[in-house]
Amino acid sequence: MKTIQSMIALFCLALLLLLAACSSSQPAAAPEQSNPPTAAPAPTPSASEKKEMILATTTSTQDSGLLDALLPVFEQQSGISVKVIAVGTGQAIKLGEEGNADVLLVHSRKAEDEFVEKGFGINAYDVMYNQFYIVGPAEDPAGIKGVQSAKEAMAKIAEKQSPFVSRGDDSGTDKKEKSIWKEAAITPEGSWYISSGQGMGETLQMADEMRAYTLTDEATFLSRKLNLEVLVQGDKSLLNPYGIIQVKSSTKPEEGMQLIRFFTEEQGQKLIGEFGKETYGKGLFVPDAKQR
Amino acid sequence: MNRVEVRNLEVTYGNRTVLALDRVVFERGGFYGIVGPSGAGKSTLLRVINLLEKPVSGQLHLFGEEVDLSTLSYAKGMPLQRQMGFVAQKPSMFQASVYDNVALGLRYRKRNRVQIQALVQEALDLVELSHLSDQRAHTLSGGEAQRVALARTLVCEPSLLLLDEPTASLDPYNISIFERVIQTIHRQKHTTILMITHNLPQARRLAQTCLFVNNGRIVERADTEAFFHHPHCTELADFISGRMIC
Amino acid sequence: MMTQDVWEVIWLSLQVTTVSVAIGMLAGIPTGTLLGLYSFRGKRIVVALIYTCMGLPPVLVGVVVYLLLSRYGPLGALGLLFTPEAMIIAQVVLVTPILAGLTMSAVQAKERTYWETAKSLGASPVQMMITIVREARGGIWSGVAAAYGRAISEVGAVMLVGGNIEHHTRVMTTAIILETRTGNFTAGLQLGLVLLALSFLFNSFLMAGVLNQMKSRRR
């Protein structure tokens, strides 16, 4: 029995390694190559080995393809190779606290401020923002289409007890959603409130399957073909600012600072603004760099 | 009605014919000894009769019932199967108590608990093993296990008992018990018995009629006394005297 | 994570896994027994297929079941996606080949003389199969343990078709993923240890059961 089980375990392990190998090789296939004129994907620079750093970021920057558009340019210019760990904001910040990352690129202002206050981070900058949408089925059972304020729309959903899929994973999007509920003075609970504990793409898929509402970032929503419609947008509370922060305990302050400068200065900002225009007809992120 | 008959039997392995018989008859209540060199086809004959092996062709007549062996399905053969008992040279004990092993055939036949208990007790008494009723069958010695295998077969009261070298690996004590039991059964219940053995004195002791099988054919058949004293063919004479090179 | 939630998650894991393995046993053990006992034309292909399916990537099973049960898929009308039933369907697909394959090996490991003995003693085809299954129970139980271990620790398929919905389809493995992704490594690790402990308990329980049965089965 042990042999069989350990064989299965071994097999699973081998599969895992294979999967890991596949996923880590993905960034090499940059889908946005044609977009920025300077983005000739550079072969790994022949710089010394220690020129390497870790960027912990949220899944949205990776999944939308933004990093694939920016990082090759940076790597070519600086000779620093950037390893990306794309996780939820909660985990990204945890990585920073434990010194397992050099720079964070995340979107939860409150958690970011706390991170800096507690002394884990320095050199915090605003980088860009994107928008959140409240999306749902075309039949719109709660009747929120055209409602201006996000909290009013959410209140209507809660009142009608229409199904709403929440990320429930402590991510930036999840925190944003929770903050809107809080503003509306509602504690969402009951069988209509579905906590998926998964990423944005999966959550959108689930909302589509269940004919439910959800809060989504623009980039992920636009990159999926689903039968969901944008029902509420444009409210100030639906703006989603991204920040970039250096981890204080980083052993590579020089490289980290170079990356932060790239994201916040002219060239990086221009690339951010242009990103997505070709594919979606409009930029997915609005650059607005400034030091906090 | 009162006979077992096999007709037009042909058994082949690949393109080698191992058994080819036109007709062989065993009368009800007879005790038949079957001898012959290894590989002659003796075991195959018993296995075919017990429906464990399918011949290319062949009819079996068993006490009034007639079946075509080459096309017989498992389910259709079951009623015939339940009139026969088979004891092989090496007993296969199931992982259970001696009692459960002996009760198995009766449970297959859906007999009730009380009957089973009485019959199993009786069968174990017969082979002198009632004191081991609760023991795990796997822990028995070879001789004990073979006696349990005999009890397990006899408890179902077969009309035809097929024995394939059952005492070949037993010590003299176990052999004597085994022989006594089958003789008792033969005398009291008039069970028809076909017994393969390499032990010629044993065949002489037990059988009324003996058959000599060689190269897939029945070469000679006679009353036991005549069989051993005046063998007709030279093959049998050579076999009995140990001159035959097998 | 609250204590009550943890129990809920553990309980659902056990329910889903137990039901899946039970259904898998009903399908896999008879199939494996038949394959172990009889030979027929095309058996080699069937056996090769089963051995391949024993190593099916759970994620692949998850995707296929997802597409079948999706609102836009052929079985969408059943409305089973993102329910415990969907998770059970995916796990049954995963464990049945394991149970069939290991039952087959266990039955084949028993010498032919055992089933001939049963047949000689007058067993009907079904009775004979039951006798052989009981005879090969040691090997079959280890198949059950392997299947249970695979089902309870599986995450790819249940995440896809269950959706990891809190209070509804969140099981131990998907909860561990969530805890890890949100930076609660401690909670993830604790749940992982619970999973390990459960596997250990279950396996010891199975082993004890096997040994007991071997020692003392009475009339």
Side-chain angles (χ1 to χ4, degrees):
Chain A
M1 161 154 39
K2 271 183 198 150
T3 348
I4 295 159
Q5 279 199 325
S6 59
M7 266 167 63
I8 290 174
L10 260 175
F11 185 73
C12 291
L13 204 72
L15 248 162
L16 251 159
L17 287 174
L18 206 78
L19 276 171
C22 290
S23 61
S24 67
S25 67
Q26 252 169 6
E32 308 287 339
Q33 270 174 25
S34 56
N35 196 6
T38 36
T44 339
S46 56
S48 63
E49 274 173 54
K50 68 171 190 177
K51 288 213 151 194
E52 202 180 69
M53 55 167 295
I54 294 173
L55 171 67
T57 183
T58 61
T59 44
S60 52
T61 57
Q62 168 112 345
D63 293 354
S64 63
L66 178 73
L67 292 181
D68 294 332
L70 266 78
L71 289 182
V73 181
F74 171 72
E75 288 180 353
Q76 195 189 31
Q77 288 175 358
S78 64
I80 298 166
S81 107
V82 181
K83 288 185 179 167
V84 175
I85 302 177
V87 289
T89 294
Q91 192 180 346
I93 287 182
K94 197 86 170 183
L95 284 170
E97 284 176 9
E98 288 162 3
N100 288 324
D102 301 306
V103 172
L104 308 183
L105 175 62
V106 290
H107 60 95
S108 178
R109 191 58 194 260
K110 207 170 136 238
E112 287 165 38
D113 288 346
E114 253 174 49
F115 183 72
V116 175
E117 266 165 39
K118 283 193 204 154
F120 290 115
I122 46 170
N123 299 324
Y125 287 80
D126 288 337
V127 183
M128 60 191 180
Y129 64 86
N130 70 342
Q131 290 198 62
F132 284 115
Y133 295 151
I134 300 176
V135 299
E139 57 269 25
D140 190 14
I144 62 165
K145 188 163 189 165
V147 173
Q148 288 301 311
S149 128
K151 76 176 183 193
E152 259 176 53
M154 301 280 261
K156 279 188 149 185
I157 293 171
E159 194 189 323
K160 281 265 161 63
Q161 305 223 331
S162 300
F164 184 99
V165 185
S166 164
R167 293 269 301 261
D169 64 350
D170 209 23
S171 61
T173 313
D174 189 48
K175 285 182 170 147
K176 169 65 81 182
E177 181 211 311
K178 298 274 163 23
S179 75
I180 299 176
W181 288 120
K182 206 170 169 192
E183 258 182 73
I186 291 170
T187 314
E189 56 193 0
S191 62
W192 62 277
Y193 186 74
I194 297 148
S195 181
S196 78
Q198 296 196 72
M200 195 67 250
E202 292 86 351
T203 301
L204 275 168
Q205 203 92 39
M206 205 180 269
D208 184 25
E209 288 283 352
M210 299 179 134
R211 316 308 291 155
Y213 294 97
T214 189
L215 182 79
T216 172
D217 67 281
E218 185 183 33
T220 315
F221 181 72
L222 290 180
S223 65
R224 305 264 163 160
K225 288 216 159 44
L226 297 163
N227 296 317
L228 292 171
E229 286 193 359
V230 179
L231 298 169
V232 177
Q233 62 173 315
D235 186 1
K236 192 159 169 281
S237 67
L238 291 179
L239 295 184
N240 178 33
Y242 281 74
I244 193 163
I245 310 172
Q246 183 165 31
V247 175
K248 200 176 174 191
S249 61
S250 164
T251 52
K252 315 223 167 100
E254 188 51 41
E255 288 86 347
M257 211 45 226
Q258 274 192 53
L259 183 73
I260 292 176
R261 257 185 256 121
F262 175 78
F263 268 88
T264 53
E265 283 171 9
E266 202 187 331
Q267 189 188 13
Q269 289 280 297
K270 189 159 164 278
L271 288 174
I272 291 171
E274 280 168 1
F275 171 72
K277 272 190 181 153
E278 199 156 288
T279 321
Y280 305 116
K282 57 176 294 203
L284 293 180
F285 296 94
V286 180
D288 71 337
K290 68 167 193 289
Q291 181 154 24
R292 285 173 186 166
Chain B
M1 278 302 283
N2 281 328
R3 62 195 158 83
V4 177
E5 182 177 330
V6 182
R7 268 180 288 116
N8 302 320
L9 182 67
E10 188 183 355
V11 183
T12 57
Y13 293 159
N15 48 18
R16 192 170 65 92
T17 301
V18 292
L19 199 56
L21 304 174
D22 287 343
R23 180 163 180 266
V24 54
V25 176
F26 305 99
E27 298 298 331
R28 188 195 279 267
F31 196 137
Y32 296 87
I34 301 173
V35 301
S38 298
K42 310 181 297 294
S43 286
T44 307
L45 176 63
L46 256 55
R47 288 170 56 80
V48 164
I49 294 174
N50 198 221
L51 313 181
L52 296 177
E53 226 163 287
K54 230 172 211 172
V56 178
S57 69
Q59 270 85 42
L60 173 67
H61 176 103
L62 189 82
F63 308 129
E65 281 176 77
E66 181 94 27
V67 289
D68 187 303
L69 287 169
S70 61
T71 57
L72 189 67
S73 72
Y74 186 148
K76 286 239 174 74
M78 241 179 63
L80 287 191
Q81 189 105 52
R82 289 190 172 178
Q83 297 181 45
M84 301 184 246
F86 187 91
V87 179
Q89 182 184 338
K90 203 173 146 264
S92 300
M93 288 290 116
F94 291 103
Q95 295 181 41
S97 66
V98 167
Y99 180 95
D100 285 333
N101 266 276
V102 177
L104 200 57
L106 296 172
R107 289 186 180 143
Y108 289 152
R109 288 160 175 79
K110 306 234 161 73
R111 304 290 280 271
N112 72 45
R113 248 180 124 76
V114 182
Q115 281 179 316
I116 291 179
Q117 209 153 4
L119 289 168
V120 170
Q121 192 55 50
E122 192 187 330
L124 283 175
D125 282 343
L126 194 63
V127 297
E128 298 174 29
L129 285 177
S130 30
H131 58 290
L132 295 182
S133 178
D134 284 342
Q135 196 167 321
R136 306 284 306 167
H138 269 91
T139 60
L140 298 176
S141 74
E144 288 166 344
Q146 189 62 303
R147 279 149 64 196
V148 170
L150 182 63
R152 163 169 92 173
T153 302
L154 293 180
V155 81
C156 300
E157 303 195 311
S159 330
L160 174 63
L161 181 60
L162 305 165
L163 303 171
D164 189 354
E165 297 184 45
T167 61
S169 42
L170 301 191
D171 58 59
Y173 171 69
N174 278 301
I175 291 179
S176 76
I177 293 181
F178 197 99
E179 287 186 1
R180 209 200 57 239
V181 171
I182 55 178
Q183 275 178 316
T184 309
I185 287 295
H186 179 243
R187 206 171 45 240
Q188 290 179 353
K189 309 213 162 156
H190 305 290
T191 308
T192 312
I193 299 178
L194 309 190
M195 181 182 197
I196 297 175
T197 180
H198 281 307
N199 181 342
L200 299 181
Q202 183 180 48
R204 268 179 98 157
R205 272 201 300 278
L206 300 175
Q208 301 160 329
T209 306
C210 283
L211 291 84
F212 176 59
V213 180
N214 195 15
N215 287 325
R217 291 168 302 111
I218 294 175
V219 180
E220 186 153 347
R221 168 185 180 134
D223 285 353
T224 303
E225 276 313 297
F227 187 86
F228 285 102
H229 282 290
H230 315 288
H232 269 275
C233 61
T234 49
E235 279 173 85
L236 177 56
D238 287 352
F239 177 74
I240 292 171
S241 61
R243 282 196 300 268
M244 178 180 270
I245 300 153
C246 304
Chain C
M1 200 181 250
M2 312 237 306
T3 335
Q4 200 189 338
D5 288 352
V6 174
W7 284 116
E8 182 184 82
V9 161
I10 293 171
W11 178 231
L12 184 66
S13 272
L14 289 173
Q15 276 180 306
V16 167
T17 308
T18 308
V19 173
S20 308
V21 172
I23 296 175
M25 281 166 76
L26 285 179
I29 292 178
T31 312
T33 310
L34 283 173
L35 285 170
L37 285 177
Y38 300 108
S39 41
F40 51 89
R41 189 175 301 177
K43 174 176 171 176
R44 252 189 243 180
I45 296 170
V46 175
V47 170
L49 218 69
I50 285 181
Y51 280 141
T52 310
C53 289
M54 281 172 79
L56 270 185
V59 179
L60 176 65
V61 173
V63 173
V64 172
V65 174
Y66 183 101
L67 291 176
L68 284 175
L69 297 181
S70 162
R71 176 180 293 276
Y72 311 107
L75 301 177
L78 300 177
L80 285 178
L81 193 62
F82 305 131
T83 62
E85 287 84 352
M87 297 155 85
I88 290 172
I89 292 173
Q91 295 213 330
V92 167
V93 174
L94 282 173
V95 299
T96 306
I98 297 178
L99 287 161
L102 295 182
T103 300
M104 184 179 74
S105 319
V107 168
Q108 276 172 343
K110 278 282 154 195
E111 293 157 51
R112 197 186 158 80
T113 52
Y114 281 94
W115 76 264
E116 285 187 352
T117 304
K119 192 180 177 192
S120 272
L121 289 173
S124 71
V126 174
Q127 287 171 331
M128 194 261 274
M129 270 180 63
I130 293 170
T131 301
I132 295 303
V133 166
R134 287 176 60 152
E135 203 50 28
R137 59 187 176 253
I140 293 175
W141 275 125
S142 27
V144 172
Y148 207 92
R150 175 152 159 116
I152 204 166
S153 59
E154 190 282 321
V155 60
V158 293
M159 178 69 105
L160 270 168
V161 304
N164 187 28
I165 298 172
E166 197 177 10
H167 307 309
H168 186 46
T169 58
R170 184 163 298 164
V171 290
M172 272 189 278
T173 49
T174 59
I176 290 171
I177 298 242
L178 176 60
E179 296 295 352
T180 311
R181 282 209 309 136
T182 54
N184 295 329
F185 295 106
T186 329
L189 203 61
Q190 279 165 352
L191 260 178
L193 288 175
V194 172
L195 189 59
L196 203 65
L198 273 175
S199 291
F200 177 76
L201 260 175
F202 186 76
N203 273 310
S204 340
F205 164 75
L206 263 183
M207 282 313 289
V210 171
L211 292 180
N212 265 339
Q213 259 206 328
M214 287 190 168
K215 258 184 254 157
S216 62
R217 229 199 67 76
R218 283 288 146 81
R219 40 190 122 143

